[in-house]
Amino acid sequence: MLDPSSSEDSGGEINEDTQVPKDPPTSSGQGGKLKKQPPADQAQAENSPVEDQEKNEQERLQKEEAERKSKLQMYVFVLRCIAYPFNAKQPTDMARRQQKLNKQQLQAVKDHFQAFLNGDTQMVADEAFCNAVRSYYEGFLKSERVSRMVQSGGCSACDFRDVFKKNIERRVRSLPKIDGLSKETVLSSWIAKYDTIYRGDEDLRHQPQRMHLSAVSEMILSKEQLYEMFQQILGIKKFEHQLLYNACQLDNVDEQAAQIRSAFTETEAGEELARLEPFVSFRWGTQGDFTTTHPLPMVKVKLFTESTGVLALEDKELGRVILNPTTNGPKQAELHKMVVSKNSQDAELKIQLAIRMDKPPNMKHSGYLYALGQRVWKRWKRRYFVLVQVSQYTFAMCSYREKKSEPHELMQLEGYTVDYSDPQPGLQGGRVFFNAVKEGDLVVFANDDEQDRMLWVQAMYRATGQSYKPIPPTQNCRAGNSQPYAPISLLSLDCSQRQGVEELISAVPCRFDHAALFPFLQKQTLQHRMNDSFSCLGWFSPGQVFVLDEYCARYGVRGCHRHLSYLRDLMEYSGNNILVDPTLLHYSYAFCASHIHGNRPDGMCTVTEEEGEQFEDIRGRLLSLLDNQIIHFRYCFPFGRPDGALKATLSLLERVLMKDITTPVPPDEMKKVVQKCLEKAALVNYSQLTEYAQIEADAQAATEKRLEDMMRLGELCIEVLQQNDEHHSEGREAFSWWPEMMAEHAETFMSLYTVDMDGALQVQPVDSWDSFPLFQLLNNFLRYDPHLCNGMFHKHLQDLFIPLVVRYIDLMESSIAQSIHCGFEQETWQSVKTITNNLPSVPLPKVNLPQMPRFSAPSWMGPLCDSTNGSETSEDLFWKLDALQMFVLDLHWPEPEFAKHLEQRLKLMASNMMEACVKRTKAAFDSKMQKASKSTDFRVSLLVCTMFNVLIDAKKQCSKLCVLDSGLEQQYHSKIDDLIDDTFKDMISSLVSKFAGPLDAVLSKLSRYDEGTLFSSIFSFTVKAAAKYVDVPKPGMDLADTYITFVRQNQDILRDRVNEEMYIEKLFDQWYTSSMKAVCVWLTDRLDLQLHMYQLKTLIKIVKKTYRDFRLQGVLDGTLNNKSYETVYNRLTVEEATVAVKAGDGLQGITMRDSDEEDG
């Protein structure tokens, strides 16, 4: 991490003109002298085009040679920084950077998610997860801003995962609670499924085992890896590195110490150098010799301190280290970090050990190789091999494991031929290859070093005794070679080349203008970093920070100058739409500002005049850059990536606006700057949105097309504002007024949409209702936003649609009233259910509602068509009233007063309409009853049942259509409810009266048989006289049977056709009570008379069957056994007993006693 205190501040000259250094400046001060120029006309005459071309080419070559020489000189300085640093070390506290995504990987991720959505994967997922993935795919993966972010190199797989996690967290929070399943479990499950989809069919086991240098740049690098990195940064060839390494004698401790001492003694007066940190060490001249049979032994070294305590039994262990020496290991002493106990204060304890492993005579060569054979080593992997001489003429290749004395696998070399080979495709691991061939067998070997391969081939060539001598291929110095040097020396160069190398290595560092050299080195390092495989956002890797820190401290580069150069480079990348972390800019700017304003914590506040000028220039450029980033915040920080970038940008803007390091910026000034930027951002975002939606202002376009465009554009505007709130609300963490600024930005953004929306609505036809979905879309979003609800745009939207809503309700009221009048005039009173037997295809009642794209039938219409027997006019009325109220309810009018007004008006309208419906139904019922028959032939008409059902439906709907949600005013509901109840009473009473007519007719016929009447006497005399001569048939039960059939059939009709059980029970109660009362009155009038046999039989059957039938219809016992029934029952029982005494079996089995043997 580049911390403001990461490098010391020291003096030095600054050459701003040297952006890409030419010849390395030296203390000699030699420069080219200006030659006398000939006159212009003479020069034009003498110089031909060919000469000019040759001159330009020569100048170009000279320039390239000067640049190459400058890079070589800088590389010499870098080599010494890496080889023997004395001021810096590689930082271990830097944030780990993630691998960046490229275009091909982005397309692969899109394909994986598209395959899941198409059902081409075997993953099982619920609908909620599928919807979340679909939203993520459509809104994020397919976004153009994501493509730009990937192209800029600032996007990683973790960014994709974080965006998905943020999306599903919002979705899961809105899900209802599930018993036994926590929302954290759902989130974890969805994230696991996301990871599976993201990977697709990739198999992690087949990933390459050897990582490229750029892939390990986030780790602590070895010296060899640092050499290789800066070779790539400065464009140094491998053989050039080997020459310089050997010439500088970087492996010679004494030589490097002499170089450091020389640099100190030859420093010019007044120049500050970084001080060597104190280093405390202890040395012991102890040597231990051990003998082992393990080619790969393990050596444990423990360091103890003597315990001086009286009771101490053992010495105290300071630390331990485990080593794995090999015969090819380094021979010089090296520092090894020791493992210490948890409570030890010596966390950085190191021990310097020199380990040498002597090989036995029969071990001809050893080392690590990759191998793959047909008989042995059948899997391609890295193993430790030893070429063992078994006897004088027998050799074997043996692979060993750690701490094993016996080989794990071996192969005798007799009969094999060894030779160099080309790289084998499909084998991951190893850079240079060779093989051993025998009839029926082939073994392929590989390692990473060309020199080591040559040694192996020569050793195996001598062991096999083959006649063919392998010839090494042409050596290619690849950048991937991990060896620090090769056997190349100055002796192989000619005199001029040797002199050039000696000039480079003998150059005195303090005589160079490092203030001019370092910006180029830093810029090249940053370019290399931005092009590697990590999403670094401008942050250097630990190894790069180490080298740059060491360079600055070692060669006296001022910290302020370093960070000014760094800021210029970072702003250049940011200006080219490359993602740069604003926090990094903040760190460097704060470091420079502390120097300029003289507020360094360490007291080092020196600054040159040129640095002050550069700082002011950078400050102005940085202000412009930050303004531009805030204006384009949706594109500079897409979907809130990098995390916290917008917050850091605002904090940096506040710091840049500060006049000095201590005086804060007034809040109003900061708000004014941000407000101005967000106003411009609204225009940028809306322009980008209209361009993306391909919407152009065309006054000649069709009205439907313009309204459709506004709907689509409105959806996109809402999506933009939702994304701003979801991904760019982090500014509130830096400034409390940020939500207020974003609300103003949203109002400005929607004001631009207002212009297009008003233009589209103005051209809509009169009394066209197609624009209501647009209001619902916008209002449903705005009413939930605490900052935009009833804001400027929201109020403008309401003002636009208030006249339209009022006009719509006026027309609907007139239409419904007219449909009631015309409908009941032509009503046939056939139930909707009996219109057709094909219920699923029953069309909905004709509705004169405006055709709205998103309008749907009420929720009760589904079950209504399956169960109701109402009329077509009534169902049409109820549907219209409910649909109108649901429509107005779905508007969710945000202004409370107008919403209350709409509700009251619709409830009053519904009450009036239903009152008219009830009255018209009652009038039709009365008319129908007047025309009905009064005999036992009377059957309740299906049309009458439909009228009952109309009132029942009206009763159900009034509780929904006529009651205010506030619950404070019930007058509409009470009025219509009382009217319906009164109408039900009248209709039930009228129908019961109609049912009483046939019973009265039956009783009237039975009255003819009263004792003492003329008809009774004539009938009795005639029967007795005729019975002397013939068998006279007795009077039958036709009269009772006819009445009972009348009762039962009407009961069945009512039970089947009337929907409400409560009203059926009321009707049956009154009917039964009325019937028993009529029979009771008839019998009471004949208390002094004995009933005729025919009268008794008829009444017993009628009363008994009536009692049973009504009990089966659900009439309660309290109603069945009323006083009238008890009176009738007692009278008929007495009459039955009297007849039984006088006439024996005169009743022919008809009795008041209960009997299951009687037929129905």
Side-chain angles (χ1 to χ4, degrees), residues 2-8 549 563 591 600 602:
L2 271 181
D3 190 81
S5 61
S6 62
S7 63
E8 294 291 334
D549 283 352
H563 284 276
F591 181 87
R600 286 286 298 159
D602 54 7

Side-chain angles (χ1 to χ4, degrees), residues 752-792:
L752 300 173
Y753 175 76
T754 301
V755 178
D756 294 334
M757 179 184 69
D758 292 350
L761 293 179
Q762 287 175 0
V763 299
Q764 297 300 312
V766 180
D767 294 342
S768 172
W769 322 113
D770 294 338
S771 59
F772 277 124
L774 178 60
F775 174 84
Q776 290 176 313
L777 171 70
L778 298 173
N779 181 62
N780 287 340
F781 166 72
L782 295 171
R783 65 192 180 96
Y784 288 116
D785 193 298
H787 301 287
L788 300 180
C789 182
N790 289 320
M792 180 175 61

Side-chain angles (χ1 to χ4, degrees), residues 176-402:
K177 292 184 178 179
I178 304 175
D179 294 337
L181 184 63
S182 64
K183 293 187 177 181
E184 289 74 14
T185 304
V186 175
L187 279 174
S188 301
S189 174
W190 285 17
I191 287 293
K193 291 179 180 179
Y194 167 86
D195 293 338
T196 303
I197 299 174
Y198 185 91
R199 288 194 302 265
D201 298 330
E202 296 178 3
D203 191 348
L204 298 179
R205 295 172 299 178
H206 296 295
Q207 296 295 326
Q209 298 179 0
R210 182 179 182 273
M211 294 185 293
H212 191 265
L213 177 62
S214 62
V216 299
S217 60
E218 290 298 304
M219 306 176 185
I220 301 300
L221 302 183
S222 64
K223 293 182 179 180
E224 289 74 16
Q225 291 172 323
L226 289 174
Y227 293 146
E228 183 177 352
M229 176 187 293
F230 278 87
Q231 289 173 45
Q232 298 176 4
I233 290 174
L234 294 174
I236 305 301
K237 299 177 181 180
K238 185 63 179 179
F239 81 92
E240 293 175 336
H241 159 75
Q242 294 167 339
L243 282 171
L244 294 175
Y245 186 95
N246 293 336
C248 291
Q249 301 182 38
L250 297 181
D251 55 348
N252 190 326
V253 180
D254 296 334
E255 174 65 22
Q256 295 309 309
Q259 287 290 334
I260 296 174
R261 288 193 299 270
S262 175
F264 284 153
T265 57
E266 298 185 14
T267 302
E268 295 179 357
E271 186 174 342
E272 297 183 4
L273 291 177
R275 299 178 180 178
L276 287 172
E277 295 181 355
F279 178 80
V280 180
S281 64
F282 300 92
R283 297 181 180 271
W284 295 272
T286 306
Q287 178 175 338
D289 296 331
F290 307 94
T291 303
T292 179
T293 59
H294 303 160
L296 277 177
M298 177 185 292
V299 179
K300 296 182 180 178
V301 180
K302 296 182 180 180
L303 180 62
F304 292 86
T305 182
E306 183 179 359
S307 298
T308 59
V310 178
L311 300 178
L313 300 179
E314 296 179 353
D315 293 338
K316 180 181 178 182
E317 180 180 338
L318 296 179
R320 62 177 62 187
V321 64
I322 299 177
L323 306 174
N324 300 99
T326 62
T327 58
N328 300 328
K331 304 300 186 292
Q332 66 271 17
E334 291 185 347
L335 283 174
H336 300 274
K337 186 175 181 180
M338 306 195 75
V339 178
V340 299
S341 60
K342 294 183 179 178
N343 299 325
S344 175
Q345 297 180 356
D346 300 326
E348 298 294 328
L349 182 62
K350 297 181 180 180
I351 185 170
Q352 189 176 35
L353 298 173
I355 300 179
R356 184 179 66 186
M357 184 176 175
D358 296 331
K359 59 183 179 180
N362 63 337
M363 180 187 288
K364 298 305 179 184
H365 197 61
S366 62
Y368 283 95
L369 293 173
Y370 290 86
L372 176 65
Q374 299 177 2
R375 300 178 182 176
V376 292
W377 309 308
K378 297 182 179 179
R379 221 177 73 182
W380 181 259
K381 62 180 290 187
R382 191 168 179 260
R383 302 173 178 88
Y384 188 80
F385 284 85
V386 176
L387 178 58
V388 180
Q389 184 175 6
V390 181
S391 64
Q392 184 176 2
Y393 300 105
T394 305
F395 294 82
M397 281 288 287
C398 305
S399 61
Y400 286 85
R401 292 185 175 179
E402 190 177 271

Side-chain angles (χ1 to χ4, degrees), residues 10 38 109 181 184 235 337 383 420 485 531 626 656 671 686 727 739 844 878 1009 1082 1122 1137 1149:
S10 56
V109 172
L181 184 63
E184 289 74 14
K337 186 175 181 180
R383 302 173 178 88
Y420 298 93
Y485 57 88
N531 292 332
L626 295 176
V656 175
K671 289 175 61 176
Y686 190 76
H727 301 293
L844 293 176
F878 299 147
Y1009 293 88
W1082 190 84
N1122 56 23

